[in-house]
Amino acid sequence: MEKGRVPSLLLLMAVALASCLSPAICHNITAILNNFPDYTVQNNYMSSTKIADEVNSRQTLTCLVLPNAVMSALAANHNPPSLKKALQLLVLLDYFDPQKLHDIDGGTTITTTLFQTTGEAIGEQGFVNITNLRGGRVAFGSAIPGSKLTSDYTKSVRQIPYNISILEISDPIIFPGLIDDGAASDRNLTAILETAGCKIFASLISSSGMIKIFQAAMVTGLTLFAPNDEAFKAKGVPDPNSLSSADLVTLLQYHAIASYIPKDSLKTAHHPIATMASGAAGNYEITVSVQGDDVTIHTGVDSSRIARTVLDETPVCVLTMESVLLPEELFGKAPAPAPAEANVTPIPQGATPVSAPAPTPKLAKVPTPAPAFISPPESPVTAPATESPVTAPASESPDEAADKEDDKSLALVVKVSSSFVGLAAAVAVLW
């Protein structure tokens, strides 16, 4: 190694070591919370909403965490946009450890949160009030005038002075209107579908009330298969307006999975996948096949190729479909191919169809052919002109009469054939 390169390498190693020791670069909120099972729900939501990335990009802050049961209740009452705001309100852009909480000057302080930096906060929505009350109690609440202190400091979880502090609180910090802003989110999903050419599907989920179900599922995970408008106009697709309300809801639920499964993940699905319609009423499952980059969904009644990915933001994925997915439980199995037509001899008019095979005709005894040296007859043998058709005696059944007539006809044919055989043999000898 060249001597001149040694100092350069040492310098690079020193820079790398300094970078790893730098709190601004190396702290990882997800890794820290992984060590505390009581906060796994919040940890997952912080990762899925990308708030964890924002926390890791800042050098000094305090992260307020909620126990799993409290966080689950918060998620159940919020749609994705409002839940993200509630989580951003729990990230204070200042360092507070237990000692600093109890030493707040004047007993009250207003601090900035991550929500304030988004530009979406109105008035004082992005600020939090921290008040040191009597008896050592420290309470948190929205800084909007008139708001109540709804949450208490519970305990310290972890500190890396003076970089990041993690404190547990009893309840989320909510400002007026935060929970009730779901209507805008509903319109967003509808707008996404309409822009993607799925106006009919968007209208159906809105009119049926399924928009609320899908919106709630978007908090924890939702994959939506949205048929485009042309799919509803295809031959054989039932008119949605002709379905009962219950069947329409089931059909719409069949187009959704209550978890996040993007297109690439669907490619590795080798087993039937349950949909939101799956339950006691039936399996309502789908299966997947892959050819190259094409992914096709099969229902047992029809199949549809995924046209494109409209939205793929964890934990929500919206895919457009070329066909409406028709569940077997509602519309039956796919029709079997028609059997090949057999060559059936038509039954003469007035005849009685015979179900059993016809009896084998009785064969007359075949006369022994004439010797080869017998001279051929002068003219072909024909049936006597005076011979009249044989009719069955009155006492005979129609079947017996028919059998006798067949015997005579066959004997005549054999007789004529024998004559020709003898003639051919004679000609062969003379030749």
Side-chain angles (χ1 to χ4, degrees):
M1 181 180 294
E2 298 179 6
K3 293 183 179 180
R5 296 182 59 186
V6 175
S8 299
L9 290 175
L10 292 175
L11 179 60
L12 290 174
M13 291 173 65
V15 171
L17 179 61
S19 298
C20 288
L21 294 176
S22 172
I25 296 176
C26 291
H27 81 259
N28 186 320
I29 185 63
T30 303
I32 294 173
L33 291 180
N34 279 340
N35 297 315
F36 300 93
D38 290 343
Y39 315 114
T40 53
V41 176
Q42 182 169 340
N43 196 15
N44 290 336
Y45 281 122
M46 290 181 68
S47 296
S48 65
T49 57
K50 308 300 183 183
I51 290 178
D53 294 340
E54 297 180 62
V55 170
N56 295 337
S57 69
R58 295 181 176 272
Q59 182 172 356
T60 302
L61 51 82
T62 299
C63 187
L64 305 177
V65 293
L66 300 168
N68 288 335
V70 178
M71 186 64 217
S72 296
L74 176 68
N77 292 319
H78 287 64
N79 54 42
S82 62
L83 177 62
K84 187 172 184 177
K85 293 176 184 178
L87 290 171
Q88 289 168 333
L89 280 170
L90 298 179
V91 180
L92 313 180
L93 302 186
D94 196 357
Y95 180 84
F96 290 91
D97 57 18
Q99 184 63 42
K100 186 175 179 178
L101 286 180
H102 291 96
D103 292 340
I104 293 175
D105 292 337
T108 296
T109 186
I110 303 297
T111 187
T112 308
T113 69
L114 193 60
F115 179 47
Q116 182 65 28
T117 66
T118 63
E120 300 179 28
I122 299 174
E124 305 295 318
Q125 289 180 345
F127 296 92
V128 166
N129 177 351
I130 307 175
T131 300
N132 188 4
L133 302 174
R134 293 179 181 178
R137 177 190 168 203
V138 179
F140 297 79
S142 172
I144 295 176
S147 297
K148 297 181 179 180
L149 299 172
T150 57
S151 181
D152 292 335
Y153 162 69
T154 306
K155 64 180 181 180
S156 171
V157 178
R158 175 76 188 278
Q159 281 81 43
I160 303 178
Y162 294 87
N163 171 26
I164 183 171
S165 176
I166 302 175
L167 307 173
E168 180 188 288
I169 59 175
S170 61
D171 297 283
I173 299 170
I174 304 296
F175 59 78
L178 178 61
I179 297 179
D180 298 329
D181 66 355
S185 191
D186 290 351
R187 289 194 297 273
N188 287 341
L189 179 58
T190 303
I192 289 171
L193 292 172
E194 290 178 347
T195 302
C198 304
K199 293 182 179 179
I200 296 177
F201 186 72
S203 175
L204 291 174
I205 64 175
S206 296
S207 62
S208 65
M210 281 302 300
I211 183 70
K212 295 181 179 179
I213 304 298
F214 291 158
Q215 204 69 52
M218 289 174 69
V219 176
T220 55
L222 175 70
T223 301
L224 197 61
F225 302 106
N228 58 35
D229 291 340
E230 293 302 317
F232 284 96
K233 302 173 185 178
K235 184 179 180 181
V237 175
D239 181 2
N241 297 321
S242 67
L243 301 176
S244 66
S245 297
D247 286 349
L248 177 59
V249 167
T250 300
L251 178 63
L252 297 175
Q253 289 176 325
Y254 190 65
H255 285 76
I257 300 172
S259 59
Y260 171 68
I261 310 180
K263 182 179 177 181
D264 286 343
S265 297
L266 286 170
K267 290 180 179 180
T268 61
H270 302 300
H271 302 287
I273 302 173
T275 66
M276 290 184 71
S278 300
N283 291 331
Y284 287 97
E285 296 173 333
I286 58 173
T287 56
V288 179
S289 66
V290 181
Q291 185 173 8
D293 191 51
D294 287 342
V295 177
T296 301
I297 306 298
H298 305 277
T299 71
V301 176
D302 65 350
S303 301
S304 178
R305 190 180 71 90
I306 294 176
R308 66 189 181 98
T309 299
V310 177
L311 176 65
D312 185 2
E313 294 180 2
T314 309
V316 180
C317 182
V318 178
L319 307 165
T320 59
M321 310 298 294
E322 294 181 342
S323 304
V324 178
L325 302 177
L326 302 177
E328 181 180 321
E329 288 81 356
L330 281 184
F331 302 101
K333 295 183 178 180
E341 295 184 359
N343 295 324
V344 180
T345 304
I347 300 173
Q349 186 174 3
T352 304
V354 180
S355 57
T360 304
K362 298 177 182 178
L363 298 178
K365 292 182 179 180
V366 180
T368 303
F373 296 101
I374 296 178
S375 299
E378 296 179 358
S379 60
V381 178
T382 60
T386 58
E387 187 174 350
S388 58
V390 178
T391 59
S395 59
E396 292 181 341
S397 66
D399 290 340
E400 293 174 344
D403 288 345
K404 289 185 177 181
E405 187 66 24
D406 290 341
D407 291 345
K408 290 183 178 182
S409 298
L410 185 58
L412 180 60
V413 171
V414 172
K415 183 177 181 182
V416 172
S417 299
S418 300
S419 299
F420 279 106
V421 169
L423 178 61
V427 171
V429 171
L430 293 175
W431 181 260

